[in-house]
Amino acid sequence: MDVRLSPEQQALREAAAQLVDDLAPKSVAELDDPARAARLDTAVVASGWRELRTPDDGHRPLASAVEAAIVAEELGRGAADTPFLGPTLAAELRRRAAAPDSAAPETVLLNPGLSGLAVVEDGDAHCSGVAIDARNATSALALARNGDGYDLAVVPVPGAAPGRDLTRPIATVDRAPSERPHGAPRPLTEADIETWTALAIALTCADLVGTMRGAVRLARSYAVIRQQYGVTIGTFQSVQHMLADAYVSAEGSKSVALHAAWAADTLPAGEALDAAAVAKAYCARAARAVCETAVQVHGGIGNTWECFAHVHLRRAFLSTQLLGDVGANLDRVAAHRKLGGVHDGLR
C-alpha cells in the first residue's frame, strides 16, 4: 500500500478543505443559519462529491474509497452540516445492485441499533429502522431478503430531526411500506454486503479522524488565547501534554483509517471488513478521548452550549455508533481471525 496521496487526491483534499473553511459552521449559532447551510449544500452538490461511488461505463465507482474518505474527513473536520455519508452509501448500494441512480435525495436505512442495514424479511412489505444523514432525503435504501441474497428496498423517509449529532439529522422509520427500485436486476450477495459494510465503516472512520482534527484545532486555538495568572494556558505543561496526546491519537487514527479505505476497494470482502473493524475500534476509542480533551481544555466554558467543542463530541458519538462501536468491531475482528475469515456484514 502506497500511503502517499496522488496529485489529484491532494487537490481533492485542498478543495474540500477550502469549502469547509468557507461554509461550514464556526459557532453553535451558525447551525441555525439556513442560508449558510443552503450555500454549503449547494456547493457540495455542485462539487459532485455525493456521486463519487456512482458507476462509470464499466460499472466501477467513479472514485476510490480513499477519495471518498478524503472528503468525509474534511467534512468531519469542519463539522459540516450537509449530507455525505448517507448519499454516498446509497449510491454504492445502487451501483452494486445495478440499479439506476435515484432522482431524489436518498440515504440508507440502518436497523434500530445502527449496526447494519435494515432488512425486510420474505413476505413482509414493511420496514423499520433509522435513516441516517437524512437532511433533505425523501427515501432510504434497505435490504429485502430474496432467497440466499438480497434485493434493494426503497423506504419513504419522514422529516429528519437533529438527534445526538447536531450536524447530521436522522429520521426514525416505523413500519413504513417499502418497494423495490425499478431496473435493479442484480441481487446482492453476502460478499456484496460485507464489502459495502467495509466501505461504510471506513467512511465513518474518516469522519472520526476529521472530527478529531477539528476538535484538536479548536482546543489549540483556545489554548493560545485564553489567559490565566497573566499567561496563556497553552504555556502550561499539563495542557501541552493533553493536546500532544490528542494530536498523537488523531494521527494514529488517520493511518489506520486510510488503510481501511484502501482495503475497501482492494482486498477480498472478509479481509476488507476485518481492516475496517480494526480501524473503527481504534478510531472510535480515540475520538471520544480526543473530543473530551477538547472540552476539558476549554475549562468551565467547555461545558456550555455556546462552546463548539460539544458539537465535535456529539458528531463523534454518532459516528462511533454507526455500523458498530468499539466492542462490536472487536467482535468482528475476533470472529474473522477465529473462524478463518467468516463475517456477517449485517451484524
Side-chain angles (χ1 to χ4, degrees), residues 72-73 75-76 168 202-212 315 319:
E73 181 183 334
L75 294 176
R168 292 176 297 180
L203 293 184
T204 66
C205 290
D207 186 84
L208 286 167
V209 170
T211 299
M212 282 185 270
R315 188 171 178 120
S319 289

Side-chain angles (χ1 to χ4, degrees), residues 7-277:
E8 293 79 10
Q9 290 170 338
Q10 186 59 45
L12 175 63
R13 179 180 291 283
E14 292 170 0
Q18 186 63 57
L19 187 149
V20 165
D21 290 342
D22 289 344
L23 297 175
K26 305 299 187 298
S27 66
V28 177
E30 287 190 7
L31 290 170
D32 295 325
D33 181 354
R36 178 206 53 79
R39 291 195 299 272
L40 173 61
D41 196 65
T42 299
V44 170
V45 170
S47 72
W49 292 336
R50 292 175 188 156
E51 287 75 51
L52 291 177
R53 298 300 289 185
T54 55
D56 61 15
D57 292 339
H59 297 288
R60 296 179 298 272
L62 290 174
S64 70
V66 169
E67 287 151 357
I70 288 171
V71 175
E73 181 183 334
E74 291 300 327
L75 294 176
R77 177 182 64 82
D81 49 346
T82 186
F84 178 74
L85 181 64
T88 301
L89 295 180
E92 176 73 1
L93 277 177
R94 284 185 173 270
R95 182 183 71 82
R96 291 189 171 276
D101 296 341
S102 174
E106 189 172 55
T107 184
V108 293
L109 188 73
L110 301 187
N111 59 40
L114 304 180
S115 62
L117 285 164
V119 178
V120 182
E121 299 297 336
D122 291 333
D124 191 351
H126 298 81
C127 190
S128 301
V130 178
I132 63 167
D133 206 8
R135 189 189 302 271
N136 302 325
T138 58
S139 63
L141 293 180
L143 299 177
R145 200 180 301 277
N146 180 10
D148 294 332
Y150 302 91
D151 293 331
L152 291 183
V154 181
V155 180
V157 172
R164 177 177 292 185
D165 180 1
L166 301 178
T167 63
R168 292 176 297 180
I170 61 173
T172 301
V173 176
D174 185 20
R175 308 294 295 174
S178 63
E179 62 180 18
R180 310 295 170 90
H182 300 293
R186 182 179 181 276
L188 297 171
T189 65
E190 291 288 353
D192 286 322
I193 303 305
E194 283 189 358
T195 304
W196 179 90
T197 303
L199 173 67
I201 294 174
L203 293 184
T204 66
C205 290
D207 186 84
L208 286 167
V209 170
T211 299
M212 282 185 270
R213 288 177 55 210
V216 170
R217 186 175 69 169
L218 181 70
R220 180 193 175 278
S221 297
Y222 183 77
V224 299
I225 61 171
R226 177 70 168 95
Q227 290 194 354
Q228 287 185 356
Y229 311 112
V231 295
T232 58
I233 64 172
T235 63
F236 299 160
Q237 192 174 63
S238 60
V239 174
Q240 292 173 357
H241 286 176
M242 290 167 61
L243 290 174
D245 288 344
Y247 178 80
V248 169
S249 293
E251 287 299 301
S253 299
K254 185 175 181 178
S255 297
V256 73
L258 180 60
H259 178 260
W262 168 83
D265 280 340
T266 308
L267 299 183
E271 294 180 32
L273 187 51
D274 182 65

